[in-house]
Amino acid sequence: MYYTTKSPSLQRLNSDKGKWVTYQLRLKGITLTEVAQRAGCSLPTVSNVLAGRHSSAKVYIVLCDILGYSTVSDLFASSIRSAA
């Protein structure tokens, strides 16, 4: 799970996946502000990642940790299955 932001394997969430991740965070009582604090970035960065406008390895690592996924690929795969 040690991706850099220049990694070709670092994908972006699309809007549906981002909404699914946001919903999963709400179920756990986690705010986007808390995600930003844990990732050491700003709230707009987290919002942009979840909207699919940017990718961020730091944000993905925190999301995986909070949601219980071992890799970003697992997180994306789960969001795809659930959104379908």
Side-chain angles (χ1 to χ4, degrees):
M1 185 165 43
Y2 297 101
Y3 297 108
T4 66
T5 55
K6 295 179 182 178
S7 171
S9 62
L10 191 62
Q11 303 173 23
R12 290 185 181 178
L13 291 167
N14 64 29
S15 180
D16 289 338
K17 293 178 195 175
K19 287 176 186 176
W20 179 85
V21 170
T22 302
Y23 175 72
Q24 296 302 312
L25 292 171
R26 285 187 191 144
L27 288 176
K28 293 186 174 284
I30 304 291
T31 65
L32 298 185
T33 301
E34 187 174 347
V35 173
Q37 289 171 344
R38 288 187 188 190
C41 64
S42 67
L43 179 59
T45 297
V46 174
S47 295
N48 284 329
V49 167
L50 292 175
R53 291 186 287 272
H54 298 287
S55 61
S56 168
K58 292 190 299 184
V59 173
Y60 292 152
I61 289 168
V62 170
L63 291 173
C64 287
D65 183 49
I66 290 170
L67 298 176
Y69 293 95
S70 57
T71 66
V72 173
S73 297
D74 291 343
L75 172 66
F76 283 174
S78 185
S79 66
I80 290 169
R81 284 190 304 270
S82 297

